[in-house]
Amino acid sequence: MTWHLIPGLVAGAVGAVGGVVTPRLIARVPEPEPEPEPEPAVESGPESADVSVTDDGQPGAVDGLVPAANEAEFARRVDEPKELYVDVAALPGLAWMCAVFGALGLGVLGGRIGFHPIMLVFAYLTPVCLALTVIDWRTRYLPTWLIAPSYFVVGGLCVLASLLSGDWPPLETAAIGWIASFGFYFLLNLIYPAGMAYGDVRLSGVLGMALGWVGLGPLIIGMYTGFVLGAIGGSVLARVKLFSSKHYPFGPFMIIGAWLGVAFTAQLGYAYGWLINLVVQAVLAVTGVFS
């Protein structure tokens, strides 16, 4: 696989600029509408949980339930107030950290793709995906305010890339990527809504469109890698008690998987093929023992 030094450096500089403006982008995201307060229960039956009260009058543990602090000491509880986006944007060092990751992420893609019009799509997605990553990690939200316009911008830039390069078939694979990715995640949301938020479904369509223009290989590898990283990462985060196993950010893993799918398509494809072959050989060996 050929790597292009100068395009990578130029793309890295653009990515760094995108990272610097990411906190400003986060600060502009409007807060979600508050959810309606649940009506207080007026009846209590014999099966209701008993809540103990401590000496200072504060509610204690619920009988028969594990206290949240014991379940995940460092996890953000589901019922805690959401962190404000302006507070997220004001985190110390956020701008330079986003600049580093923006330079690294877009620089790697520039080195992989070179000077090509499709880089306009990833130049746009760099600050957007950085903002979504930070927001999802801190709040477990993927704002529609950032994702919905990205469908139009990414779609328009894909058309522009075909117009400038004279390469029109990638628009078909971009449409395939959009529909297939969105449909797959939408199905997961229908089957298990507690494990797949609809914000992840929205994000999948944008990423699928961008990866699809690059090719079916990056599309399949990128979306699959994001799904695998999300599953493994969620288990690790729950094990180290950073997040609850049922309430952890999935969007950052989708974004990382998409980037890796474009930059390391062949390497990841080879790794997956090796793993699949290893599993097949293990299954054949086991069945041979019992046959």
Side-chain angles (χ1 to χ4, degrees):
M1 182 172 56
T2 302
W3 289 88
H4 310 277
L5 177 60
I6 300 302
L9 294 175
V10 173
V14 175
V17 174
V20 170
V21 303
T22 295
R24 299 181 182 180
L25 181 61
I26 295 174
R28 294 187 60 188
V29 178
E31 294 293 335
E33 294 293 332
E35 297 181 359
E37 293 291 336
E39 296 182 1
V42 295
E43 297 181 0
S44 59
E47 298 181 356
S48 299
D50 296 328
V51 181
S52 61
V53 180
T54 59
D55 295 337
D56 56 359
Q58 297 298 321
V62 180
D63 291 349
L65 298 179
V66 179
N70 293 339
E71 178 185 350
E73 183 178 355
F74 300 104
R76 171 187 171 270
R77 290 180 50 178
V78 179
D79 56 351
E80 286 183 358
K82 186 192 74 66
E83 190 173 7
L84 297 177
Y85 295 136
V86 291
D87 294 336
V88 174
L91 290 172
L94 180 61
W96 73 261
M97 285 189 291
C98 288
V100 170
F101 283 105
L104 179 63
L106 195 61
V108 168
L109 293 192
R112 167 69 175 87
I113 297 175
F115 287 123
H116 192 283
I118 194 58
M119 284 297 297
L120 295 173
V121 172
F122 295 101
Y124 164 78
L125 284 178
T126 294
V128 172
C129 287
L130 284 172
L132 290 172
T133 297
V134 174
I135 290 174
D136 198 20
W137 189 266
R138 299 287 302 191
T139 69
R140 254 65 72 221
Y141 278 89
L142 286 172
T144 306
W145 189 84
L146 284 172
I147 299 177
S150 296
Y151 276 93
F152 298 98
V153 177
V154 171
L157 290 176
C158 284
V159 173
L160 180 61
S162 291
L163 182 64
L164 294 176
S165 65
D167 195 6
W168 295 101
L171 282 181
E172 298 180 5
T173 54
I176 292 173
W178 169 22
I179 296 172
S181 301
F182 187 92
F184 175 72
Y185 277 86
F186 182 77
L187 182 61
L188 291 178
N189 176 261
L190 286 179
I191 296 174
Y192 187 49
M196 180 62 63
Y198 201 76
D200 301 322
V201 179
R202 296 190 188 98
L203 177 60
S204 68
V206 175
L207 296 178
M209 192 187 310
L211 297 184
W213 200 102
V214 181
L216 288 178
L219 170 65
I220 296 171
I221 297 295
M223 299 307 294
Y224 180 73
T225 301
F227 188 79
V228 171
L229 289 178
I232 298 175
S235 300
V236 172
L237 292 175
R239 181 61 61 92
V240 300
K241 297 184 178 181
L242 281 176
F243 298 101
S244 166
S245 60
K246 296 182 179 180
H247 196 61
Y248 69 93
F250 197 82
F253 298 106
M254 296 173 61
I255 292 169
I256 294 173
W259 246 250
L260 292 176
V262 175
F264 303 103
T265 308
Q267 292 86 343
L268 287 173
Y270 176 81
Y272 291 142
W274 180 81
L275 287 174
I276 293 173
N277 181 67
L278 185 65
V279 172
V280 171
Q281 294 299 325
V283 171
L284 292 177
V286 172
T287 56
V289 171
F290 293 99
S291 61

